Amino acid sequence: MKKTISIIGILLALTIIIVLYSVFIYKHSDFIAGENRYYTLYENYQSKNKIIDLETDSYNNDIYHLKVIQTEIDNRIKTIAGYKQKFIKKVDDIKNNRNFIENYLKYIDELTELENNITIEKKHLESKYLDLIELNNFIIDHERNIFSIDKYIQDIDFTCLMLDLTGNQTNDYLNTIRDVRLKVDSIGTQVKYKIEAEKERLALLERERESLALLKAKEKKEINKRELLEPKEVYSFSNSYPFIEPDLFYLPKIESLNEYPTNINNSWNQTKYINPNAAPATVKVKGYYRSDGTYVPPHVRTAPNSTKKDNLRYRP
């Protein structure tokens, strides 16, 4: 009997210890605002009974780590502001520089990267906004001091308001970046089409030039071929006068003519006096040039002798 009582006493003591441990010592946890929040059942029970204490130790010591969240939010807002400055500089580059198609492609990539980075930061801020709401509810449920609760609520409300303003500005940045990116893409596409059209025009001109060169070469070849087939004239005397044998000239009979035709500048339109008592013209003279440049055509004359009276041009 005593042994049974002892066992029951031990079990009862263990039960009491377990209950006391679970109520006062064992800490339960909830994952709130990005971290685990620990509390005992007794603390949770006490939080239902709010107190008024001007010494806001919980807020002053920041036992709920609100400042950690606020610091992270401030850093992400500064990061977004840095992206904004990069965007403004990029817009200035787009407006002021003499851009080529490679520049437009580079601008599109850089603007897309900026848009993605700002979008990531915006999502983090939205997550922190939800963390603040969650932490606010947790503080209201587990904090006993009403003054500490009020101070926490004021800080959380101010931080949420700042997040709202930052979110609206971030949305404006993103919309502006998208508009600029689309405009740059459109301009780049137009420049690309113009470059392709210019390349096609130059290629067409080059093909036309090659065709014209081939045509000229073909014509030149035909001309050379015709020149080889056509008979060539024979030239004599260094001044390129055609050579004609003297016996091909018409030589008048002196016995039946009173006028002897002569050639002045290759013309038969003029005549000179002929001596009717002249000797027969039996000497042929080839054409030649005088010292003054005058050309004397082939002709006949009397044989040389001791008198001039039988010359063709002698006048009594």
Side-chain angles (χ1 to χ4, degrees), residues 38-255:
Y38 297 97
Y39 57 90
T40 64
L41 291 177
Y42 178 73
E43 291 173 344
N44 188 43
Y45 171 75
Q46 277 191 321
S47 64
K48 308 299 180 183
N49 300 319
K50 307 298 183 183
I51 61 174
I52 299 175
D53 187 0
L54 297 177
E55 299 293 332
T56 54
D57 294 335
S58 297
Y59 175 80
N60 295 335
N61 297 326
D62 192 22
I63 63 173
Y64 298 103
H65 302 161
L66 174 61
K67 294 188 183 301
V68 174
I69 300 175
Q70 289 176 329
T71 300
E72 184 177 356
I73 290 173
D74 289 340
N75 291 335
R76 294 196 178 277
I77 291 176
K78 291 178 181 177
T79 301
I80 292 176
Y83 289 142
K84 178 185 176 183
Q85 294 301 321
K86 288 183 179 180
F87 171 68
I88 294 174
K89 184 178 182 302
K90 192 59 56 183
V91 171
D92 292 338
D93 292 339
I94 294 172
K95 290 180 178 179
N96 298 331
N97 288 350
R98 183 178 180 182
N99 298 304
F100 299 94
I101 184 64
E102 294 81 6
N103 301 112
Y104 288 108
L105 295 176
K106 179 182 177 182
Y107 293 149
I108 292 173
D109 292 338
E110 292 174 347
L111 291 173
T112 302
E113 183 180 1
L114 276 177
E115 181 182 355
N116 293 336
N117 291 336
I118 292 177
T119 301
I120 291 173
E121 296 299 327
K122 179 175 177 289
K123 289 181 178 179
H124 282 299
L125 291 180
E126 291 173 349
S127 175
K128 292 304 172 184
Y129 185 90
L130 296 177
D131 288 345
L132 289 173
I133 299 301
E134 195 174 37
L135 181 61
N136 184 75
N137 295 332
F138 182 82
I139 291 173
I140 291 174
D141 289 340
H142 292 81
E143 175 60 36
R144 294 188 67 193
N145 189 358
I146 293 178
F147 283 108
S148 292
I149 293 174
D150 288 342
K151 288 189 175 183
Y152 267 119
I153 290 175
Q154 289 177 9
D155 283 359
I156 291 174
D157 288 344
F158 176 79
T159 306
C160 288
L161 179 61
M162 184 174 62
L163 284 176
D164 287 335
L165 295 175
T166 303
N168 293 332
Q169 292 177 354
T170 304
N171 289 332
D172 293 338
Y173 296 159
L174 290 174
N175 292 332
T176 304
I177 290 174
R178 293 187 188 104
D179 292 341
V180 173
R181 179 168 56 82
L182 290 175
K183 187 173 181 180
V184 171
D185 189 13
S186 176
I187 296 174
T189 302
Q190 294 177 8
V191 172
K192 181 180 178 181
Y193 287 155
K194 289 181 179 179
I195 291 175
E196 291 177 352
E198 182 65 14
K199 287 182 179 179
E200 182 64 25
R201 187 183 72 84
L202 294 177
L204 179 61
L205 290 176
E206 182 64 18
R207 289 194 295 270
E208 290 179 352
R209 187 189 66 80
E210 292 176 354
S211 299
L212 183 60
L214 291 174
L215 182 61
K216 288 184 176 180
K218 185 176 180 181
E219 291 178 352
K220 185 176 181 180
K221 185 176 180 181
E222 291 293 332
I223 292 173
N224 293 337
K225 185 177 179 181
R226 287 198 301 269
E227 288 179 351
L228 290 175
L229 296 176
E230 291 177 354
K232 295 184 177 179
E233 294 182 354
V234 178
Y235 289 89
S236 181
F237 310 108
S238 60
N239 60 348
S240 301
Y241 278 85
F243 176 77
I244 304 176
E245 291 293 338
D247 56 0
L248 296 180
F249 277 86
Y250 170 72
L251 299 178
K253 293 181 180 181
I254 302 303
E255 295 80 2

Side-chain angles (χ1 to χ4, degrees), residues 293-310:
T294 304
Y295 176 69
V296 178
H299 61 278
V300 292
R301 71 180 184 182
T302 60
N305 54 24
S306 60
T307 180
K308 296 182 179 181
K309 293 182 179 182
D310 60 351

